[in-house]
């Protein structure tokens, strides 16, 4: 039983702009499932992907209805979360706000009292910005750099939504940095971090891990950071020297399929097996299964798989991989992580 919603509680739609359409698809899923990535008190769960339901092209918006948080509460929560790596813009529309056809919204803007402060305009689609600017620039003081107010106009389906809010409600992605490469850890390590967070995988310091396809080494290095006592980093390619030099790291410079003897000699018994090898999904599954004897019962597997093709769903391919895994693993989950590419999916499972 949630708390009752009083008449006095202001509600709004939060609209998030992502880098491309499939990121909007994934972000909407995270919100609906209430995942920690988008955890904010008062944020609704009623999230929909807006835009052509294509793989990449589209408005790339996520609309979250009935939110009771304030814009700054939402922005602060996102800034504290890995979601901020993917957010381009955010729009807020009070539920009783201005909306209607394009003509109605434009008429409304024309008739509005001229604001006393400088205004920054943000729109979706972007080309709408020019029209709004042409309409207002004679009377309003528009300034994209120094502004006290934000005017948002966004098309959702056939309806145009409009709001005017204090400038601090504006989120601007830092300059010259595409959302997916913004500061912080590399995209590769974000996959592992996100999977562990999403699946609530908690590791006891002193754990032992196997990292298949470990080079250049960001996953291995992250596992050491998480408290690994030992990481068996298997890859014929070189590890970065900073990683190779870590006392916890044992580099086996061989393909996975030729590393069984080494692992046996060293008496490897791991608590976790991660794999980011760039090979076809079934091959990756077969190689991981061959190393299963070196994972303890109940030990977790986190595996990146790259599926060819352009579809959003890969039902046949997932079944093919499942057949390779057989009953040697349990609790199989597939995730399309924010940090995955269009073709990648993340398999999480445990040794049966
Ligand atoms: C995407 S990179 C891994 C990046 C790594 N997770 C990181 O964070 O630095 C893929 C790696 O898989 C390795 N690889 C491909 N086939 C392999 C195999 N059969 N056995 C071991 N490594 C393999 C490649 O050499 C390559 O370094």
């Amino acid at each position: 039983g949630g708390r009752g919603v009083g008449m006095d509680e202001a509600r709004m739609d939060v609209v998030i702009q992502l880098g491309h359409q499939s990121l909007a698809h994934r972000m909407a899923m995270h919100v609906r499932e209430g995942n920690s990535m988008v955890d904010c008190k008062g944020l609704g769960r009623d999230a929909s992907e807006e835009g052509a339901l294509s793989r990449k092209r589209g408005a790339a918006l996520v609309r979250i209805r009935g939110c009771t948080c304030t814009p700054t509460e939402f922005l602060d929560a996102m800034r504290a979360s890995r979601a901020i790596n993917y957010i381009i813009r955010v729009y807020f529309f009070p539920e009783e706000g201005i909306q209607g056809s394009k003509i109605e919204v434009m008429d409304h803007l024309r008739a509005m009292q001229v604001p006393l402060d400088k205004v920054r305009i943000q729109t979706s689609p972007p080309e709408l910005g020019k029209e709004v600017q042409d309409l207002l620039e004679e009377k309003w003081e528009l300034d994209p750099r120094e502004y006290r107010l934000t005017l948002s106009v966004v098309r959702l389906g056939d309806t145009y939504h409009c709001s005017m809010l204090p400038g601090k409600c504006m989120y601007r992605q830092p300059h010259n940095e595409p959302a997916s490469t913004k500061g912080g850890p590399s995209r590769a390590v974000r996959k592992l971090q996100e999977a562990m967070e999403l699946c609530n995988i908690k590791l006891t310091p002193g754990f032992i891990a196997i990292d298949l396809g470990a080079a250049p080494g960001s996953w291995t290095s992250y596992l050491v950071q998480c408290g690994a006592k030992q990481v068996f980093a298997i890859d014929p390619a070189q590890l970065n020297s900073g990683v190779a030099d870590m006392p916890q790291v044992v580099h086996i410079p061989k393909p996975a399929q030729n590393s069984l003897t080494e692992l046996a000699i060293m008496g490897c018994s791991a608590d976790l097996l991660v794999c980011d090898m760039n090979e076809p999904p079934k091959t990756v599954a077969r190689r991981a299964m061959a190393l299963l004897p070196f994972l303890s019962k109940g030990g977790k597997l986190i595996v990146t798989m790259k599926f060819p093709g352009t579809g959003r769903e890969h039902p046949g391919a997932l079944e093919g991989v499942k057949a390779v895994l057989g009953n040697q693993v349990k609790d199989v989950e597939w995730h399309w992580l924010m940090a995955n590419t269009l073709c990648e999916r993340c398999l999480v499972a445990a040794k049966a």
Side-chain angles (χ1 to χ4, degrees):
R3 62 197 165 125
V5 177
M7 292 293 288
D8 54 338
E9 205 165 19
R11 287 167 160 260
M12 62 172 181
D13 284 12
V14 175
V15 178
I16 309 173
Q17 168 88 63
L18 285 304
H20 63 71
Q21 192 63 37
S22 106
L23 286 172
H25 168 72
R26 291 176 243 174
M27 183 64 92
M29 249 168 6
H30 280 298
V31 177
R32 283 196 295 271
E33 291 170 6
N35 292 331
S36 58
M37 175 181 287
V38 276
D39 191 22
C40 171
K41 196 166 162 280
L43 187 72
R45 289 279 193 97
D46 181 4
S48 53
E49 173 188 357
E50 304 279 336
L53 303 188
S54 73
R55 187 157 165 262
K56 201 152 186 185
R57 266 178 299 179
L61 300 173
V62 173
R63 177 184 191 177
I64 312 166
R65 294 169 197 257
C67 303
T68 54
C69 49
T70 66
T72 38
E73 281 166 356
F74 176 76
L75 291 178
D76 287 346
M78 290 307 101
R79 286 193 179 102
S81 139
R82 64 182 61 259
I84 203 67
N85 292 311
Y86 306 98
I87 295 175
I88 308 273
R89 279 164 190 262
V90 186
Y91 310 93
F92 304 98
F93 298 110
E95 226 161 52
E96 306 302 324
I98 309 152
Q99 51 177 283
S101 69
K102 185 171 174 183
I103 293 173
E104 284 166 346
V105 167
M106 291 299 217
D107 282 349
H108 183 96
L109 284 173
R110 197 180 291 116
M112 237 166 102
Q113 200 177 358
V114 175
L116 299 174
D117 276 311
K118 292 180 178 174
V119 177
R120 182 187 162 105
I121 298 170
Q122 57 170 7
T123 69
S124 173
E127 54 272 22
L128 187 59
K130 179 81 175 72
E131 286 178 67
V132 176
Q133 189 181 332
D134 287 349
L135 179 78
L136 300 175
E137 67 186 351
E138 239 174 72
K139 291 192 195 158
W140 292 33
E141 223 183 323
L142 303 176
D143 191 329
R145 275 164 297 273
E146 282 171 39
Y147 52 88
R148 301 283 297 278
L149 295 167
T150 322
L151 175 70
S152 300
V153 185
V154 171
R155 189 180 74 205
L156 295 171
D158 295 328
T159 306
Y160 287 72
H161 298 249
C162 178
S163 70
M164 179 93 99
L165 292 168
K168 67 174 193 293
C169 301
M170 166 79 117
Y171 174 70
R172 289 205 283 164
Q173 190 197 335
H175 245 32
N176 302 330
E177 292 180 69
S180 53
T181 59
K182 206 188 299 176
S186 71
R187 192 188 65 76
V189 78
R190 281 192 199 148
K191 291 188 277 187
L192 182 58
Q193 293 172 331
E194 187 183 341
M196 287 179 34
E197 190 179 296
L198 184 64
C199 300
N200 201 18
I201 295 174
K202 298 261 185 289
L203 298 162
T204 322
F207 68 93
I208 297 174
I210 300 173
D211 184 357
L212 287 183
S218 68
W219 284 29
T220 292
S221 152
Y222 180 65
L223 291 170
V224 170
Q225 217 178 296
C226 289
K229 179 169 70 183
Q230 203 157 45
V231 182
F232 294 92
I234 304 172
D235 200 311
Q238 283 296 307
L239 295 178
N240 282 339
S241 57
V243 180
D245 295 344
M246 292 175 169
Q248 300 89 341
V249 175
V250 180
H251 183 201
I252 303 179
K254 293 188 173 181
Q257 57 276 29
N258 299 344
S259 64
L260 277 68
T261 314
E262 268 83 353
L263 289 171
I265 290 171
M266 291 187 269
C268 170
S269 168
D271 309 288
L272 175 72
L273 191 159
V274 300
C275 173
D276 194 25
M277 263 174 1
N278 42 10
E279 287 205 279
K282 276 195 199 170
T283 310
V284 169
R286 233 175 279 123
R287 304 225 190 287
M289 287 306 98
L291 295 193
L292 218 52
F294 301 104
L295 185 65
S296 54
K297 198 166 173 238
K300 295 276 188 195
L301 295 102
I302 303 175
V303 183
T304 305
M305 302 235 176
K306 278 180 196 276
F307 293 96
T310 57
R312 281 188 169 195
E313 314 284 341
H314 302 278
L318 298 193
E319 284 310 308
V321 170
K322 263 193 166 166
V324 175
L325 303 177
N327 54 13
Q328 305 176 80
V329 300
K330 57 177 185 180
D331 308 332
V332 175
E333 291 176 32
W334 288 99
H335 295 285
W336 193 359
L337 305 172
M338 293 298 289
N340 282 142
T341 63
L342 289 173
C343 326
E344 286 173 351
R345 297 296 183 278
C346 178
L347 169 90
V348 178
K351 180 172 169 177

